[in-house]
Every structure is written in C-alpha cells, then in structure tokens.
Amino acid sequence: MNDTQYTLNFEKLCNELQLGELISSPKPISGGLLHRMYAIETTQANYAVKALNPQIMIRPTAVQNYIDSEKIANVAAEHIHAQPAKMLKVLLCITLIINSI
C-alpha cells in the first residue's frame, strides 16, 4: 500500500451537507474495521460519521462497492434490526473524502 493518509475536515463536511455548526470536537467511536467512525454533535443534531479509509477508496471499484453495500444494508434493514447509513448526498460525501486524499 502507499502512504495515503486520512484528511478529516469535519467543519467542511458539516457545511457542505448543512448539518449545523460543530458544538464539540468529534469523538472516535467503534463501529468499523476498515474505516473510522466518529460521533459529532452539531447545532442541529448528533451524527455518526464514517471516514472512509483512503487506502481502500483509491481502488478503482471501491466507490461502487461502497454504494452497493449501503443498498444491501438498506434492504437488510427491512428484515433485521440494522441502521444503514443515510443516503442523503452520499455521493457528495464520497466525493469530499476522495478529493481530500
């Protein structure tokens, strides 16, 4: 693997997705083996943010694989207790993350 690193800009994420202003520093939480998860608190709500692993996301099929896995999670959530990611502006989220690597 190359030395691609995470570049996390939560303020930009909140601004681009109109999530509100950050109230406190993002806190790392468990919930992913391949990616990092953070809890953020804004003036509008509390969110869990998945920071996609840049070393994985540079793979040619990674973006489509991620989109497909979220579609599968949404179908599964209709039948089992699961909390899939919100699909609101998911491509914008992925674009922001890819552009930051």
Side-chain angles (χ1 to χ4, degrees):
M1 293 256 167
N2 62 32
D3 64 351
T4 302
Q5 301 294 314
Y6 280 90
T7 302
L8 305 174
N9 187 335
F10 292 101
E11 292 82 9
K12 182 177 180 180
L13 180 74
C14 290
N15 184 49
E16 292 286 334
L17 298 178
Q18 301 175 349
L19 301 178
E21 298 292 319
L22 283 174
I23 294 174
S24 60
S25 297
K27 295 169 184 58
I29 57 175
S30 64
L33 297 174
L34 301 176
H35 308 288
R36 294 182 184 172
M37 295 286 296
Y38 295 88
I40 61 170
E41 182 180 5
T42 74
T43 53
Q44 292 185 15
N46 296 328
Y47 300 94
V49 175
K50 181 184 286 187
L52 303 177
N53 184 326
Q55 292 186 356
I56 291 173
M57 297 311 293
I58 60 175
R59 297 176 185 168
T61 59
V63 172
Q64 189 59 51
N65 289 346
Y66 185 76
I67 292 168
D68 292 345
S69 73
E70 289 303 325
K71 288 179 182 178
I72 292 167
N74 277 291
V75 171
E78 296 173 10
H79 305 284
I80 62 171
H81 182 67
Q83 185 63 45
K86 280 191 173 182
M87 294 302 286
L88 177 67
K89 299 183 183 180
V90 70
L91 292 178
L92 176 59
C93 293
I94 292 171
T95 301
L96 282 173
I97 292 166
I98 290 173
N99 287 340
S100 71
I101 57 176

